[in-house]
Amino acid sequence: MQTRPVAPPAGGLGWANLGMDIVSVTRVRRLLTLYGEDFFRRMLTPGELADCRTSARLDVLGLCGRIAAKEAAFKTLRVRAVFLPWLDIVVRRSEGGWPLVELRGPAAAMAAESGIAAITVTISHDVDYAVAVAAPVLETGPPEGPVHPVHPEEPARPARPARPAAHDRAAAGGAPTAHHTPRRHTMSEGLQLVKNWLLARHEELDDIAPDLDLIENRLIDSLSFVEFVFLLEQHSGRSIQMETLEVDEIRTLAAIETHFFAAQAVQA
């Protein structure tokens, strides 16, 4: 599966990949009420959370703005089959009050491959929504080094080694991919709860086929992905690292059952 950036090479006339995202204040407030601040620690660094904190509580509009900015910045990278690296795209408040973006680890590597030296972003808030627009700062030549951190007091996360593609691991005797997962006649209890969760958020659907692509059909987006991981942890009893979770592991209900509920399915 292709995981490399799919943007055209930088430097062409007029080349620029803009990114834009909108986040519902109601949606983020619901997540904060349900899960508390711990939920957002998987999406925002301690410094980012500090920027959103008032004397009394976390500012929901501030959370929404940073989430939207990360999404918008990620869209400028033009990558496929990769989850948004939440903690590797850092959006901090400058001394002048405007947002600054720092790319770390895998996010910095994706940007370098697309000829992007840095990303600039602007955020706007309303009562019900936060909107962010991001634009790439293009390289004029070969990259000379990593983007300088916005806040040196926050140590950069070490780059993680690339994992082999899912089909490569399967060929080597690892877990099968979603495309080779056999359909089961009896759905495990945990998978049924996951399916019910998805259906409750997509009332236009009457059912979800085991091989329906949840990502391509936007049943799981970047924000619901974090909540989805919480759900998987709760019902599977496993701790999940978002940084190493692969798209194929949750692409379909069949793949989710194979990777997270195989034992339950056997018992059923």
Side-chain angles (χ1 to χ4, degrees):
M1 174 175 294
Q2 182 177 2
T3 59
R4 295 171 60 84
V6 295
L13 181 62
W15 180 87
N17 288 331
L18 297 181
M20 179 178 180
D21 197 70
I22 182 170
V23 173
S24 164
V25 174
T26 300
R27 187 178 182 187
V28 171
R29 183 176 287 117
R30 178 186 67 83
L31 293 171
L32 185 60
T33 301
L34 282 176
Y35 303 110
E37 185 174 326
D38 283 347
F39 178 86
F40 295 95
R41 294 186 187 281
R42 294 198 174 191
M43 305 168 70
L44 279 74
T45 66
E48 290 174 310
L49 286 170
D51 286 346
C52 297
R53 197 178 306 280
T54 67
S55 58
R57 61 186 182 278
L58 281 175
D59 173 42
V60 175
L61 281 177
L63 291 174
C64 292
R66 274 153 186 78
I67 291 169
K70 286 171 180 265
E71 291 257 22
F74 182 61
K75 289 175 181 177
T76 70
L77 301 179
R78 295 294 195 271
V79 293
R80 67 175 67 157
V82 177
F83 290 121
L84 194 164
W86 285 103
L87 300 180
D88 291 320
I89 299 177
V90 182
V91 181
R92 296 297 307 275
R93 183 191 300 121
S94 70
E95 292 182 0
W98 53 82
L100 295 173
V101 178
E102 176 194 349
L103 302 177
R104 301 174 175 178
M110 295 176 203
E113 288 192 54
S114 286
I116 295 174
I119 296 174
T120 181
V121 67
T122 184
I123 302 172
S124 183
H125 305 89
D126 195 358
V127 175
D128 299 317
Y129 296 95
V131 178
V133 176
V137 178
L138 304 182
E139 293 276 11
T140 57
E144 296 180 357
V147 177
H148 295 293
V150 175
H151 288 263
E153 70 273 12
E154 285 191 24
R157 290 152 51 82
R160 291 175 293 271
R163 301 180 71 195
H167 59 79
D168 293 335
R169 296 201 313 277
T177 67
H179 303 293
H180 298 97
T181 303
R183 294 188 179 185
R184 305 182 188 278
H185 297 291
T186 303
M187 183 175 293
S188 65
E189 179 182 358
L191 187 64
Q192 184 64 60
L193 292 171
V194 169
K195 181 178 178 180
N196 292 344
W197 184 87
L198 290 169
L199 287 172
R201 283 152 179 78
H202 298 276
E203 297 180 354
E204 73 279 7
L205 298 178
D206 295 325
D207 195 15
I208 302 175
D211 58 352
L212 178 70
D213 193 316
L214 305 176
I215 309 300
E216 294 295 330
N217 288 279
R218 296 192 61 79
L219 271 67
I220 303 175
D221 59 22
S222 294
L223 184 53
S224 65
F225 163 67
V226 183
E227 189 176 5
F228 187 74
V229 169
F230 268 56
L231 183 78
L232 282 180
E233 288 184 331
Q234 178 182 354
H235 296 310
S236 69
R238 290 177 48 188
S239 177
I240 301 172
Q241 298 299 318
M242 293 196 306
E243 296 84 355
T244 56
L245 183 65
E246 293 192 357
V247 174
D248 278 351
E249 295 175 359
I250 64 167
R251 184 175 291 280
T252 65
L253 289 177
I256 292 169
E257 184 166 31
T258 296
H259 289 95
F260 299 97
F261 299 108
Q264 292 183 15
V266 170
Q267 293 175 0

